[in-house]
Amino acid sequence: MRWDNNLQPYKRGAWVHLYGNPLQAWNVDFFKLCVFDCGRFLRADSCSADKDRLDFARVLIATSDLEIVKTVETVLVDGSMVEVKIVEEWGY
């Protein structure tokens, strides 16, 4: 195949869990902010978006990183810094 400048680099889909989300910031826009450095937000699962369970949020991202995603993001919520742990779902 001939080289094309419009080719996109490799991306893979990864479901990640977000732990430590404050309830006052529990929404899809906050999830997008949390995963900004990990990859591109694709969608949140329905249980997370509908607040059916509040122990963690489950989000699908597109990432070029081949390693398992495991990081901590610090986000400002209502004047206080909150640490959100981001851990990839794997091994199923």
Side-chain angles (χ1 to χ4, degrees):
M1 176 187 280
R2 188 175 177 170
W3 176 261
D4 183 7
N5 289 339
N6 296 326
L7 286 177
Q8 297 293 319
Y10 170 81
K11 299 273 187 193
R12 68 180 180 93
W15 283 101
V16 294
H17 291 189
L18 284 72
Y19 295 97
N21 299 311
L23 294 181
Q24 69 268 30
W26 193 281
N27 59 57
V28 173
D29 291 330
F30 181 74
F31 304 154
K32 288 178 185 179
L33 179 66
C34 291
V35 299
F36 184 77
D37 289 336
C38 299
R40 185 169 50 90
F41 176 89
L42 297 176
R43 73 180 191 93
D45 75 342
S46 60
C47 289
S48 299
D50 297 339
K51 300 178 185 172
D52 290 339
R53 69 178 305 157
L54 298 173
D55 52 343
F56 64 86
R58 188 170 176 252
V59 173
L60 181 63
I61 63 170
T63 181
S64 57
D65 193 3
L66 295 178
E67 297 296 319
I68 293 170
V69 178
K70 186 176 182 184
T71 186
V72 176
E73 291 294 327
T74 305
V75 185
L76 183 66
V77 177
D78 291 338
S80 30
M81 300 303 283
V82 176
E83 284 189 347
V84 177
K85 293 175 180 57
I86 304 170
V87 181
E88 184 175 346
E89 202 178 82
W90 62 283
Y92 295 108

